[in-house]
Amino acid sequence: MTFPFHPLRLMVALSAAYALHTPLALAADISATVPSGGGFVIKNSAGTQERFRVQDSGEVRAPGLSGATPNTSLTCFDAPTGRLGPCASGIGTGATGATGPTGATGAIGTTGPTGSAGAAGATGATGATGPTGATGATGATGAGATGATGPTGATGPVGAAGAVGPTGATGADSTVPGPQGTQGIQGIPGPTGPTGPTGSATVSLTEYSNGSNCDNVTPPYTVQVEATCGAGKAVVSGGCETASPRDDVFSISKRVGTDKWSCTFSCGSASAITAYAYCQ
């Protein structure tokens, strides 16, 4: 059973009791007796929400606490008297429990699909071509001219023939050859003709070369290399060269025809060989 709480009526009743018992009520408490199974309730001004309740069983309720502003202090009560107040030091803070075992590692999730490739960026514009540098001046051509070929000197006269020696006696018929007759006296040599003047022409030779390898041959391990003059030129001299003079044996070096120089080697290693022709 609920009894409406009227503050004005409670104040009037308390004033009358105070006036009748003034000498005896200076230290008295204000008490309210609740019916069995009921409670003492304080509501809001509209009478629609409970703010505080004391049950007949002693249970105390404050329904508005759940919506109040949170605070950081704990509230405790004294067991014998039920007095409310702040908690003593250490109350509400228990010892730290032991660390629990590490849980099993969860299964690895499947790999997500690969995202599509982004579109290729546009190609940048080609930079402008730099200007071409100026052509250097051509060097001057040498002024030396080829000298003329000197005339051939005259042939000297043939010397006179020497006197014929006497004929030896005819030997008797025999199977043994007769002695050889004495050689006639040599004729006096004719005078030497004068030497012709030296020509003033300058000889200019051009080198031509051709190479091969000793490792490209088969037994008897010899190789022949020829260097050929250019068109319209005649060979004057030539030469041969090997990259391994300690192992390769040079055997023949000679002119072939009018425009070639030939070299023949006996190969002792896998080396390069070269023939040279000096042509005019």
Side-chain angles (χ1 to χ4, degrees), residues 125-236:
T126 302
T129 302
T132 303
T135 303
T138 303
T141 303
T146 303
T149 303
T152 304
T155 304
V158 179
V164 178
T167 303
T170 301
D173 293 336
S174 174
T175 57
V176 179
Q180 184 177 354
T182 306
Q183 183 177 353
I185 301 172
Q186 183 177 355
I188 301 172
T192 301
T195 302
T198 303
S200 60
T202 301
V203 178
S204 178
L205 300 179
T206 303
E207 179 186 280
Y208 297 88
S209 63
N210 184 31
S212 184
N213 291 322
C214 274
D215 58 346
N216 292 334
V217 298
T218 56
Y221 302 102
T222 58
V223 62
Q224 182 180 6
V225 184
E226 291 182 347
T228 304
C229 297
K233 293 185 178 291
V235 64
V236 175

Side-chain angles (χ1 to χ4, degrees), residues 213-215 217-225 240 242 244-252 263-271 273:
N213 291 322
C214 274
D215 58 346
V217 298
T218 56
Y221 302 102
T222 58
V223 62
Q224 182 180 6
V225 184
C240 307
T242 174
S244 181
R246 185 182 65 180
D247 300 320
D248 300 335
V249 179
F250 163 69
S251 57
I252 299 174
C263 298
T264 303
F265 288 85
S266 295
C267 297
S269 66
S271 59
I273 58 175

Side-chain angles (χ1 to χ4, degrees), residues 26-117:
L26 292 178
D29 295 329
I30 298 175
S31 61
T33 301
V34 298
S36 176
F40 178 77
V41 180
I42 299 176
K43 293 186 176 182
N44 64 349
S45 60
T48 57
Q49 294 181 351
E50 291 184 359
R51 297 305 188 197
F52 188 79
R53 170 184 286 271
V54 179
Q55 291 291 102
D56 181 32
S57 62
E59 178 183 350
V60 178
R61 300 178 185 179
L65 289 179
S66 60
T69 302
N71 293 304
T72 58
S73 299
L74 297 177
T75 301
C76 295
F77 70 95
D78 180 63
T81 64
R83 177 176 56 84
L84 298 178
C87 296
S89 177
I91 299 300
T93 304
T96 302
T99 302
T102 303
T105 303
I108 299 175
T110 58
T111 303
T114 303
S116 56

